[in-house]
Amino acid sequence: MHIGIIGLGLIGGSIAKTLKKVHAQNSFIIGFDTDSLSAAKALEEGAIDHIATELGAEFSKCNVIFICTPVSSIDMVVEKLLPFIASDCILTDIGSTKESVMKKVEDILSGHTKKAYFIGGHPMTGSEQSGYEASTNYLFENAYYILTPSPGTPDFILFIMQKMVERLGAIPITLEPGYHDFATAVVSHLPHIIASSLVHLVKNQDGCEHSLHTLAAGGFKDITRIASSNPTIWQDICLSNKAPIKACLENYIASLTAFCQTLESEDSQAIYNFFNEAGRYRDTFQDGIKSDIAKVFTIFVDAEDEPGIIACIATLLSSHSINIKDIGIVNQREFASGVLRIAFGKKSEMEKAKHLLIKHNYTVYC
Ligand SMILES: NC(=O)C1=CN([C@@H]2O[C@H](COP(=O)(O)OP(=O)(O)OC[C@H]3O[C@@H](n4cnc5c(N)ncnc54)[C@H](O)[C@@H]3O)[C@@H](O)[C@H]2O)C=CC1
Ligand SMILES: O=C(O)C(=O)Cc1ccc(O)cc1
């Protein structure tokens, strides 16, 4: 497999290193970075096999190209690569915002004669560090990796990308780009803004003795770690997700104003509830409870060497509007002969599929 990686920083470098770890014999990785030192280091360490001199013909054999640059340059990279790539090449990005990037890329693709596939991606992992030096071959382990196909993305392209994400050690989740931007504004973009604003607060209120700086430890350092992130990356994220971030900020400002009033009125029960409710909800994050969007509901179906059985079952389920999240053959000793594993995104879909398959005389295990 030929893989291209444009931008060999924290995320691009980590994709290269991880693919080399899991795929070394089967992949040839071509890297490009405007910073030639990052590319040279990646080649020297064996994370990539070849450095491209430009966004050109060297990428023509790639099956998949990961665009790992700051959000504002993703569309420009697609535009430059398009004349050179194979028509069945999958282009994917890892940018932290999706709707505006995907809109720009789709405009470029629709105005071009070359028909390539583009599918948005966003690994929900990273760090406050940046650059190739900060990349690792384990960054994606057990992290959620959001995929945002557009309505025109064929199912098999989504399927290939889900498999790539799993090879990286991550958990694929499919979201609509607009929902992705709302969700990440809440859980990622707003917290980065809050972390930086807390640091500003200390900096602006500190005197020449720097005592606030000295005292800012423990919790303050925990909550502000992400304020050390790359400002160029965050400048791009804010500008490309302006509306959801503004809506979130307004909501957050309102909640702070409400707390200010609670404090002013010395409503001790309300103050207790504020901390208690947040604490109870925060505690559930450590229980490994995953939200419904990441859950997979699986059944197993006997499938003894019947030709076309996968197509038969897939057609039966889709004709009843049941979406298959994943399908594959299981070779486990607990099942004597061929068994199909079928995964669904919702429990209700799994139940519906189970009843339908039993009705059609399939043997189903849960
Ligand atoms: N930092 C993080 O934790 C996460 C970042 N992201 C997204 O990943 C992308 C990259 O972020 P990082 O890897 O953290 O940044 P980084 O700063 O570590 O790496 C970016 C790399 O892209 C290169 N680059 C910049 N413009 C380029 C261009 N036009 N052509 C080729 N190379 C170019 C830079 O020289 C640098 O090596 C961003 O879009 C960001 O939103 C996604 C998830 C997590
Ligand atoms: O360092 C952290 O905790 C992060 O939150 C990293 C991060 C930064 C940007 C993203 O789009 C996703 C994850």
Side-chain angles (χ1 to χ4, degrees):
M1 192 170 199
H2 275 66
I3 292 166
I5 302 181
I6 318 294
L8 292 157
L10 170 70
I11 304 295
S14 298
I15 291 177
K17 287 177 180 177
T18 310
L19 288 177
K20 275 292 161 204
K21 183 176 72 175
V22 296
H23 238 233
Q25 319 308 331
N26 304 322
S27 63
F28 185 83
I29 304 184
I30 304 163
F32 175 76
D33 200 302
T34 43
D35 170 22
S36 56
L37 288 179
S38 296
K41 188 86 182 135
L43 185 68
E44 184 191 313
E45 287 189 359
I48 59 172
D49 300 289
H50 174 73
I51 302 178
T53 49
E54 58 181 350
L55 295 173
E58 285 157 292
F59 290 93
S60 62
K61 283 192 183 157
C62 285
N63 309 101
V64 179
I65 301 178
F66 287 88
I67 302 168
C68 306
T69 62
V71 164
S72 63
S73 49
I74 294 169
D75 57 329
M76 181 272 289
V77 170
V78 171
E79 196 158 27
K80 282 196 174 166
L81 279 173
L82 212 45
F84 302 100
I85 58 174
S87 54
D88 57 354
C89 175
I90 302 175
L91 293 170
T92 186
D93 73 315
I94 45 88
S96 303
T97 66
K98 294 272 70 84
E99 197 161 41
S100 67
V101 172
M102 289 186 61
K103 170 93 186 59
K104 284 184 197 162
V105 169
E106 274 153 25
D107 284 350
I108 293 168
L109 290 176
S110 63
H112 207 279
T113 47
K114 174 74 61 61
K115 295 291 162 235
Y117 301 109
F118 180 83
I119 175 163
H122 180 199
M124 291 300 290
T125 179
S127 86
E128 74 285 6
Q129 296 176 302
S130 60
Y132 178 79
E133 299 289 347
S135 64
T136 70
N137 66 9
Y138 51 82
L139 184 70
F140 306 107
E141 252 164 53
N142 293 320
Y144 293 126
Y145 191 125
I146 301 169
L147 292 170
T148 56
S150 45
T153 307
D155 283 351
F156 75 94
I157 296 292
L158 174 62
F159 185 76
I160 292 171
M161 276 312 297
Q162 286 168 334
K163 292 292 143 200
M164 290 282 309
V165 165
E166 284 169 6
R167 293 295 280 163
L168 289 170
I171 305 162
I173 299 181
T174 304
L175 293 182
E176 184 274 317
Y179 184 77
H180 165 279
D181 287 356
F182 155 74
T184 52
V186 180
V187 302
S188 176
H189 308 167
L190 183 68
H192 274 79
I193 294 167
I194 294 170
S196 294
S197 64
L198 282 173
V199 174
H200 282 299
L201 197 69
V202 166
K203 180 172 177 276
N204 295 337
Q205 299 204 35
D206 212 358
C208 24
E209 306 277 293
H210 303 297
S211 31
L212 293 185
H213 183 272
T214 309
L215 293 172
F220 188 85
K221 277 175 82 181
D222 286 350
I223 197 177
T224 56
R225 173 185 60 80
I226 50 181
S228 299
S229 301
N230 181 346
T232 308
I233 296 289
W234 284 94
Q235 176 188 38
D236 276 15
I237 292 172
C238 287
L239 291 172
S240 69
N241 202 25
K242 182 174 134 188
I245 293 176
K246 269 188 71 197
C248 231
L249 264 174
E250 278 155 15
N251 231 323
Y252 184 64
I253 291 166
S255 76
L256 288 182
T257 306
F259 187 76
C260 224
Q261 281 155 6
T262 306
L263 189 59
E264 177 57 33
S265 62
E266 297 182 17
D267 183 342
S268 71
Q269 186 60 49
I271 295 172
Y272 175 85
N273 291 346
F274 178 83
F275 289 110
N276 187 44
E277 279 168 27
R280 296 295 71 77
Y281 188 64
R282 173 67 178 78
D283 290 345
T284 65
F285 294 177
Q286 284 143 10
D287 295 337
I289 295 172
K290 291 173 184 167
S291 76
D292 275 351
I293 49 175
K295 268 190 192 145
V296 168
F297 301 89
T298 306
I299 59 170
F300 299 91
V301 184
D302 264 348
E304 278 176 61
D305 258 358
E306 285 174 44
I309 181 124
I310 297 187
C312 267
I313 290 181
T315 310
L316 177 64
L317 296 180
S318 77
S319 67
H320 287 76
S321 307
I322 302 170
N323 280 324
I324 297 175
K325 212 164 174 187
D326 196 6
I327 189 163
I329 294 170
V330 185
N331 294 312
Q332 276 171 359
R333 251 182 281 147
E334 58 190 289
F335 298 113
S337 54
V339 160
L340 275 187
R341 180 182 56 80
I342 313 177
F344 305 90
K346 292 184 194 147
K347 191 170 182 211
S348 56
E349 281 182 325
M350 181 197 77
E351 295 290 350
K352 200 169 154 191
K354 188 173 93 181
H355 294 303
L356 186 66
L357 290 166
I358 290 171
K359 201 171 130 198
H360 283 78
N361 298 324
Y362 288 99
T363 307
V364 180
Y365 313 90
C366 290

